[in-house]
């Protein structure tokens, strides 16, 4: 494995200079300020560099961390080139369950801990526990959600500056968890809950999504609330039209601040006027499921359009990718990346699409079918650009400038289990392995692939880091820090390993 590939200082400085010039309100100007980079949730990191070759063979250098354990990591955020933060401990579906959430500041490249701050602890009361996120606000402070409590932390010391318990509406507090932070253009934080049915003892995302009887529809409605980013005072909140599994997504469109949320069968829009949030009755709601399809994940904003995929839980019918116009909700289109399925196959993807407006592309995975697809989206029409075999429930990361965009995600393989719904990410009982793959977004060509490691944290991010690094954050609490470089003459290459 060699020494940790700490990245290239020259690349880190180039990435920092690029990030400083980006317009990404209301987040800090850094490489990874927000769980999906921007409030639109594109997962496009335009300043993160791919140090490998787009045309020739590449090598993946990797270092597995061993000295610190960040069990059940969800995302990583950066501030300066030497400031990196990890959100972990929030996945009640792990075996054993991760029921205590922390934020840690770590050393980039090695992930050695500098400090860690505990947030909520659901071990005693079995409060619904799902992964939130850590994000970096414009003033350099951190914002994080855990269970039903919002936290502001000092990014230098880790001290909790403010805490705010969020209202849960008609849902009992223990059955309600918030995992969807976003923000409007004025900096106001917007956040929504997801619920499990009252009386169900199960925990984790799966409890709220499908394991509890009748879930998700049998649970009380989610709430959406707005919070002042400076005082952390709750400004406004209301109950939604159902139990929402996908994270909330915001858009500043035609002078208005909107929030989009997906109930189990419909997508709604809410408008923020600076004082209150309310349903926008001029737009939608739009039904996005056909018979047998399951709820969508988070929407993504792509210019004038809202794009998203359904089948967020296992389904025996094909997935659809939808686009709905922000200016007119009757303008919509959709495409099924795999329009027919064989008997016994399932289709699902816990995460969400990624979008690249500059290249008119939408990207989506199907964990059940084991595919990654690129969809051309031009003039309101969708067509399949390419589809390859790759199995992942992690969020797709897009890196690099528009003319050299690279697709990065995990790829799962099991030598013992053929049914993807029975993949166990453990760490106790894990029955598959993951690698990280880099692909040319133009063609789907495999540029580089890592070795296989224990499973990545399911439905987590595959974050870039300063210096051209990619972090494979594992469910067992460790991580693999990776750097791609062009292969030397006569050197073994990584694609196809």
């Amino acid at each position: 494995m060699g020494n940790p590939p700490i990245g290239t200082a020259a690349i880190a400085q180039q990435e920092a200079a690029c990030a400083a010039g980006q317009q990404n309100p209301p987040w800090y100007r850094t490489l990874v300020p927000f769980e999906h980079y921007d409030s639109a949730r594109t997962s496009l990191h335009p300043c993160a560099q791919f140090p490998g070759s787009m045309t020739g063979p590449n090598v993946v250098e990797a270092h597995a961390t061993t000295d610190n354990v960040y069990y059940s990591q969800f995302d990583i955020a950066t501030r300066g080139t030497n400031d990196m933060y990890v959100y972990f401990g929030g996945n009640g579906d792990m075996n054993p369950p991760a029921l205590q959430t922390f934020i840690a500041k770590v050393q980039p490249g090695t992930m050695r801990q500098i400090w860690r701050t505990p947030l909520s602890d659901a071990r005693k009361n079995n409060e619904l526990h799902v992964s939130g996120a850590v994000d970096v606000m414009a003033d350099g402070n951190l914002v994080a959600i855990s269970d039903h409590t919002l936290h502001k932390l000092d990014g230098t010391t880790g001290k909790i500056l403010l805490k705010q318990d969020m209202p849960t509406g008609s849902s009992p507090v223990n059955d309600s968890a918030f995992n969807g932070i976003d923000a409007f253009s004025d900096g106001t934080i917007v956040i929504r809950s997801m619920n499990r049915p009252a009386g169900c003892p199960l925990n984790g995302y799966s409890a709220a999504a499908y394991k509890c009887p009748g879930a998700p529809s049998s649970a009380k409605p989610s709430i959406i609330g707005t919070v002042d980013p400076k005082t952390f005072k709750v400004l406004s909140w209301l109950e939604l039209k159902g139990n929402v599994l996908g994270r909330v997504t915001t858009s500043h469109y035609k002078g208005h601040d909107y929030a989009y949320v997906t109930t189990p069968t419909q997508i709604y829009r809410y408008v923020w006027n600076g004082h209150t949030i309310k349903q926008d009755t001029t737009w939608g709601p739009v039904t996005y499921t056909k018979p047998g399809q399951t709820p969508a994940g988070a929407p993504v904003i792509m210019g004038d359009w809202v794009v998203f995929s359904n089948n967020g839980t296992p389904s025996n019918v094909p997935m659809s990718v939808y686009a709905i116009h922000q200016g007119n909700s009757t303008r919509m289109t959709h495409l099924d990346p795999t329009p027919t399925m064989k008997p016994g196959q399932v289709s699902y993807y816990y995460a969400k699409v990624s979008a690249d407006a500059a290249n008119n592309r939408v990207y989506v995975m199907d964990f059940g079918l084991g595919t990654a697809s690129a969809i051309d989206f031009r003039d309101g029409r969708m067509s399949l650009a390419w589809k390859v075999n790759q199995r992942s429930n992690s969020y797709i990361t897009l890196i690099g400038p528009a003319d050299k965009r690279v697709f990065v995600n995990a790829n799962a393989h099991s030598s013992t289990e053929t049914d993807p719904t029975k993949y166990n990410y453990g760490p106790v009982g894990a029955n598959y392995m993951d690698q990280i793959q880099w692909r040319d977004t133009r063609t789907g060509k495999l540029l580089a692939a890592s070795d296989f490691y224990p499973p990545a944290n399911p439905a987590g991010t595959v974050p870039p880091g300063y210096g051209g690094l990619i972090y494979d954050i594992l469910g067992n609490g460790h991580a693999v820090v990776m750097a791609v470089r062009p292969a030397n003459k006569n050197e073994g290459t990584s694609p196809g390993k």
Side-chain angles (χ1 to χ4, degrees):
M1 301 288 286
N3 294 321
I6 59 172
T8 302
I11 290 179
Q13 293 305 314
Q14 292 167 8
E15 291 170 329
C18 174
Q22 295 293 307
Q23 297 296 323
N24 191 17
W27 307 108
Y28 198 81
R29 295 192 184 191
T30 182
L31 195 69
V32 190
F34 181 69
E35 58 195 278
H36 301 133
Y37 180 71
D38 50 21
S39 294
R41 295 193 182 276
T42 62
S43 294
L44 169 60
H45 298 76
C47 296
Q49 293 192 25
F50 173 68
S53 171
M54 299 291 289
T55 57
N58 291 298
V59 169
V60 178
E61 296 181 336
H63 169 72
T65 63
T66 58
D67 54 344
N68 286 108
V69 175
Y70 310 104
Y71 185 52
S72 179
Q73 302 164 71
F74 174 75
D75 77 321
I76 286 173
T78 63
R79 196 171 61 174
T81 55
N82 295 315
D83 299 315
M84 193 167 84
Y85 311 92
V86 182
Y87 179 104
F88 64 104
N91 191 337
D93 284 312
M94 301 296 292
N95 184 19
L99 297 176
Q100 186 175 16
T101 305
F102 299 86
I103 304 295
K105 183 175 183 179
V106 302
Q107 182 184 64
T110 67
M111 295 194 70
R112 292 194 182 103
Q113 181 176 295
I114 298 171
W115 50 252
R116 75 167 58 185
T117 301
L119 302 183
S120 65
D121 188 344
R123 291 175 297 179
K124 294 182 179 179
N125 60 7
N126 193 34
E127 184 168 4
L128 179 63
H129 202 69
V130 297
S131 291
V134 59
D135 307 312
V136 187
M137 297 188 293
D139 62 4
N141 288 318
L142 311 180
V143 59
I145 187 70
S146 181
D147 297 342
H148 68 284
T149 305
L150 191 67
H151 301 76
K152 180 190 284 191
L153 292 83
D154 185 302
T156 301
T157 66
K159 179 182 178 181
I160 294 177
L161 303 175
L162 293 170
K163 294 170 63 175
Q164 176 63 63
D165 289 339
M166 297 297 297
T168 62
S170 60
S171 176
V173 171
N174 276 17
D175 293 323
S176 187
F178 290 75
N179 73 331
I181 295 176
D182 212 314
F184 292 119
S185 63
D186 63 359
T188 300
I189 296 167
V190 59
I191 187 168
R192 77 94 186 89
S193 64
M194 63 187 298
N195 301 322
R196 68 181 168 194
C200 180
L202 303 178
N203 213 320
Y205 172 86
S206 64
Y210 61 94
K211 284 188 176 180
C212 288
S217 299
S218 59
K220 295 293 185 179
S222 298
I223 76 107
I224 188 169
T226 57
V227 177
D228 185 296
K230 294 183 179 180
T231 66
F232 263 39
K233 177 185 177 182
V234 175
L235 302 174
S236 175
W237 69 274
L238 55 82
E239 284 195 330
L240 299 174
K241 300 299 183 179
N243 187 22
V244 177
L245 301 181
R247 295 172 185 242
V248 61
T249 301
T250 65
S251 173
H252 187 70
Y253 184 73
K254 304 292 186 181
H256 299 283
D257 280 312
Y258 296 116
Y260 293 90
V261 294
T262 52
T263 68
T265 60
Q266 294 182 306
I267 181 169
Y268 289 78
R269 185 165 82 178
Y270 293 81
V271 61
W272 168 245
N273 63 10
H275 303 283
T276 59
I277 190 166
K278 63 181 181 179
Q279 183 185 346
D280 182 358
T281 57
T282 69
W283 192 96
V286 179
T287 298
Y288 65 79
T289 56
K290 296 178 286 189
Q293 291 181 328
T294 59
V300 175
I301 306 303
M302 185 177 176
D304 290 333
W305 299 84
V306 185
V307 295
F308 56 95
S309 61
N310 54 27
N311 283 3
T313 59
S315 171
N316 58 8
V317 300
M319 166 194 297
S320 297
V321 176
Y322 274 87
I324 305 172
H325 200 277
Q326 292 195 76
N328 180 355
S329 59
T330 66
R331 289 186 61 190
M332 58 185 294
T333 187
H334 77 276
L335 181 140
D336 297 356
T338 304
T340 59
M341 291 166 49
K342 298 177 182 179
Q345 286 187 314
V346 292
S347 165
Y348 69 103
Y349 181 40
Y350 289 155
K352 61 164 189 64
V353 303
S354 293
D356 180 358
N359 288 305
N360 301 296
R361 281 283 178 85
V362 181
Y363 301 90
V364 68
M365 310 296 298
D366 193 317
F367 187 84
L369 299 180
T371 61
S373 300
I375 298 169
D376 277 328
F377 181 42
R378 302 171 188 272
D379 302 321
R381 298 179 180 179
M382 289 182 169
S383 61
L384 187 66
W386 52 258
K387 182 168 63 175
V388 297
N389 293 327
Q390 184 172 347
R391 191 184 303 274
S392 178
N393 255 329
S394 299
Y395 293 98
I396 300 162
T397 295
L398 304 174
I399 61 174
D403 61 338
K404 295 181 179 179
R405 205 82 87 200
V406 175
F407 171 112
V408 188
N409 205 352
N411 176 50
H413 174 74
S414 176
S415 59
T416 60
E417 183 55 67
T418 58
D419 182 351
T421 66
K422 295 180 180 178
Y423 274 33
N424 184 344
Y425 45 82
V428 176
N431 61 5
Y432 71 98
M433 303 284 278
D434 266 321
Q435 67 177 174
I436 300 299
Q437 295 186 348
W438 291 254
R439 294 184 180 275
D440 187 331
T441 58
R442 295 169 296 185
T443 63
K445 173 188 174 184
L446 186 64
L447 300 174
S450 73
D451 290 333
F452 281 89
Y453 299 97
N457 195 35
T461 63
V462 184
Y466 278 112
L469 298 181
I470 290 291
Y471 291 85
D472 181 9
I473 48 181
L474 310 181
N476 65 11
H478 295 290
V480 183
V481 188
M482 300 181 179
V484 178
R485 63 169 174 80
N488 298 321
K489 186 178 180 179
N490 300 323
E491 186 176 24
T493 58
S494 60
K497 290 176 70 174

